[in-house]
Amino acid sequence: MGLEYVRITTGFEDYMPKDYVDLVKYGQFGKDYDIQELGTFKELVEEHPMCAGCFMAYFIRVFYASLPKPEDTIVIGTAGCARLQLSQAAVPFIYGNYGDTNAVASGLKRALEIRFPDKVKDVVVVAGDGGLMDIGFGMTMHSWFRRERFTTIMVDNEVYGNTGGQESGMSPKGVQLKMAPKGKKFDKINAVELAKAAGCVYVARISPTNPKRLAKTIKRAIIAARHFGPTFIHAYTSCNIEYSIPTEKVLEDARNREKKDFTFYEWMSDDVKNYFEQIESNKEGQEVKV
Amino acid sequence: MYYVAETKVDKCSTYKCNQCVLFCPEPNTLMFLKEKNFAYVNQARCKGCAICVYVCGDLLKRNCVEMVMATVSE
């Protein structure tokens, strides 16, 4: 896409759908809204079919609201809950086969660099724990080994929520699920350390309890991926259906988990650290050429 | 028949706060009117998860959001 394709041709405003006119007039395209202004502008996601109180839905809402350049972003997803909402946004979305998201993203990013040499196009993979750490493990790791420059975000609900509650590699040890009645026998995979070892330049683990910090982390991950290399965010997005969390307790659960094993953790390479120090000292927040 | 959130506008506008808006999982549902400084619910889109009630009641102790039974307008 691009900003010039978003705008409505003069004279056609009356004939376009209301939602689209609102999106162009009051939406995020070409503007830089702070996450604290959520609720005062038209969001990129119109509606979504995810469960009531789903915190993955909340994470994706904040994710779209904090994209640094939504008009130049392409999102890639795969089978799982996340794709239900990702595909409802006004941002191009590609649906990979199960597990091949990072392979698709690698090719896409390279192609975009050739097609648009004078523009930066952000490629972001948003997939679940099954897509990235179980079934897509090989392709995820190899995209990091190859130092492909895109962002990978894992929305970790610790279960295969779409298919009835089978255990995944990210489920915590000992947890009993509908399709895993004996309890899980081994530990949760340490995805953050794996990403660090595999060559990611920016790695974060976060529980979505603080929208400001969440938005900052997402922005940093996308901007670092433009110049330096692969970046990774591991986000806790509970499944209130499979883990039987009452919907009003979902945020409480996220806060409890943050105190235990999902404490906020951010690691970046020295280059990236210097770069962000440079941006943040630059008052206008303009990007600096590397 | 289902529950949806409703904000108590008079009470809400006395606080300078939009925390419930920041924690709603539904986009374009819990909205914030900047000029008059209160949050309001687009009830046709609310799924009734009550996270906003937890944020406003349990966390902030302000109790400006409550769950009400949705009525069908003829």
Side-chain angles (χ1 to χ4, degrees), chain A residues 2-284:
Chain A
L3 212 49
E4 64 273 28
Y5 293 108
V6 175
R7 289 201 187 102
I8 300 167
T9 314
T10 326
F12 280 82
E13 290 90 347
D14 296 346
Y15 306 104
M16 295 298 284
K18 178 89 174 63
D19 291 342
Y20 191 79
V21 178
D22 281 354
L23 201 61
V24 176
K25 262 189 184 170
Y26 311 108
Q28 288 168 255
F29 292 120
K31 292 167 205 151
D32 192 18
Y33 284 111
D34 190 81
I35 194 72
Q36 302 283 355
E37 292 173 86
L38 211 61
T40 59
F41 58 85
K42 175 89 173 168
E43 284 167 62
L44 291 168
V45 189
E46 179 63 36
E47 277 183 307
H48 62 73
M50 288 168 85
C51 309
C54 176
F55 236 39
M56 191 187 282
Y58 171 66
F59 179 87
I60 294 169
R61 181 187 178 214
V62 176
F63 162 72
Y64 274 119
S66 50
L67 283 180
K69 258 191 173 182
E71 63 275 9
D72 287 323
T73 304
I74 296 177
V75 177
I76 296 172
T78 188
C81 292
R83 60 95 163 68
L84 294 170
Q85 186 174 357
L86 292 167
S87 53
Q88 306 293 324
V91 172
F93 170 74
I94 294 176
Y95 185 88
N97 284 326
Y98 210 172
D100 72 356
T101 44
N102 280 39
V104 173
S106 307
L108 184 69
K109 180 73 188 178
R110 291 183 195 181
L112 287 170
E113 276 172 5
I114 297 168
R115 173 66 182 80
F116 301 100
D118 53 338
K119 237 183 186 182
V120 186
K121 292 273 184 186
D122 299 323
V123 174
V124 186
V125 172
V126 183
D129 45 325
L132 290 175
M133 279 296 143
D134 286 357
I135 296 163
F137 186 72
M139 289 188 225
T140 308
M141 292 306 279
H142 272 272
S143 75
W144 292 340
F145 293 147
R146 292 193 305 268
R147 301 281 175 126
E148 302 286 352
R149 290 189 294 179
F150 62 84
T151 310
T152 310
I153 297 177
M154 178 162 73
V155 281
D156 177 11
N157 58 1
E158 308 188 313
V159 67
Y160 285 85
N162 247 213
T163 48
Q166 292 83 2
E167 69 171 47
S168 84
M170 301 303 290
S171 305
K173 194 178 180 179
V175 72
Q176 276 185 317
L177 295 159
K178 283 176 198 158
M179 294 282 196
K182 280 181 160 179
K184 202 186 167 204
K185 296 245 163 58
F186 54 95
D187 276 320
K188 193 176 166 79
I189 299 169
N190 193 338
V192 166
E193 292 300 322
L194 274 174
K196 255 165 88 171
C200 285
V201 294
Y202 179 93
V203 172
R205 179 181 57 220
I206 195 163
S207 179
T209 56
N210 180 340
K212 204 172 174 184
R213 185 169 66 193
L214 188 56
K216 192 179 174 186
T217 311
I218 291 165
K219 268 193 184 137
R220 278 187 160 183
I222 291 173
I223 289 169
R226 284 179 190 167
H227 307 291
F228 298 101
T231 58
F232 177 63
I233 297 177
H234 179 190
Y236 174 63
T237 54
S238 61
C239 180
N240 56 340
I241 303 293
E242 295 302 335
Y243 278 81
S244 308
I245 309 165
T247 52
E248 70 273 16
K249 302 265 187 235
V250 165
L251 178 57
E252 193 184 342
D253 168 69
R255 286 162 69 95
N256 288 339
R257 287 299 295 272
E258 193 178 28
K259 282 175 200 149
K260 287 181 213 153
D261 51 346
F262 267 93
T263 41
F264 179 62
Y265 171 80
E266 192 181 39
W267 175 88
M268 54 188 117
S269 68
D270 293 338
D271 292 347
V272 180
K273 201 178 250 172
N274 290 338
Y275 179 71
F276 282 126
E277 273 168 17
Q278 230 175 317
I279 289 186
E280 274 146 30
S281 62
N282 183 355
K283 271 180 190 164
E284 284 155 10

